Amino acid sequence: MIDNEESDGKVCLRICADSTSQDLEPIAIMVHTLLGIPTTIRSANCKGIRMERGIIVDRDYTGPVLEKVISTNTSIRTVPEEGVYKGKSVVVAPIRTMEGNAIGAIGVVDLVAALDILSMFREYPGIIDEVEEARRRMK
């Protein structure tokens, strides 16, 4: 990624397969700030960043799911069997060029998968009725 300051003061961020963790830092911070959950990012040829609780905890990070997403150029939802997030649901997506080639990957802990929806419905059987009632009021 190259930071080019234009003559009018604008800054342009460019990502490539060789982007370093320093290059990817603004994106990691943005996603982590928006979601507030552990966030990881790396380029195809350089290790990247792992953020948790508002701080960068690793600037030389890679993980098995990030690597697999880059090599397969597909999004993956899984529970890793190794690495820092072993046993935790994660979702990772490729960062692609306009031509569709994977040049990196970004991932987060998958909070939706961590929820046990079935047990929520068992514990709160009236939830469907509440949702339906709310929908009726919105119309």
Side-chain angles (χ1 to χ4, degrees):
M1 180 164 59
I2 303 166
D3 296 343
N4 288 332
E5 186 156 344
E6 305 288 332
S7 60
D8 60 1
K10 293 180 183 176
V11 175
C12 179
L13 303 176
R14 297 184 187 160
I15 303 171
C16 66
D18 294 318
S19 292
T20 65
S21 59
Q22 182 179 357
D23 297 331
L24 298 172
E25 186 173 327
I27 297 167
I29 291 171
M30 179 264 310
V31 171
H32 184 70
T33 301
L34 282 172
L35 301 177
I37 55 180
T39 304
T40 62
I41 187 171
R42 69 160 289 164
S43 68
N45 299 328
C46 297
K47 291 183 180 178
I49 288 177
R50 178 169 66 96
M51 288 194 72
E52 294 181 4
R53 297 182 184 96
I55 61 170
I56 296 172
V57 295
D58 193 343
R59 293 179 184 275
D60 191 36
Y61 181 76
T62 191
V65 183
L66 288 172
E67 292 173 5
K68 186 171 183 180
V69 164
I70 293 168
S71 69
T72 62
N73 195 9
T74 58
S75 296
I76 297 175
R77 289 180 185 272
T78 190
V79 178
E81 295 180 4
E82 60 180 313
V84 175
Y85 297 106
K86 176 182 178 179
K88 295 181 179 153
S89 296
V90 299
V91 59
V92 181
I95 300 170
R96 296 183 177 123
T97 64
M98 294 299 287
E99 295 78 27
N101 301 315
I103 58 169
I106 186 163
V108 295
V109 171
D110 189 358
L111 295 179
V112 174
L115 297 175
D116 185 352
I117 300 296
L118 290 176
S119 70
M120 284 179 55
F121 283 124
R122 273 188 239 116
E123 291 178 31
Y124 303 100
I127 197 166
I128 294 173
D129 295 334
E130 290 178 35
V131 170
E132 288 301 319
E133 178 61 30
R135 282 182 42 187
R136 280 192 290 274
R137 285 190 302 245
M138 291 174 54
K139 290 182 179 180

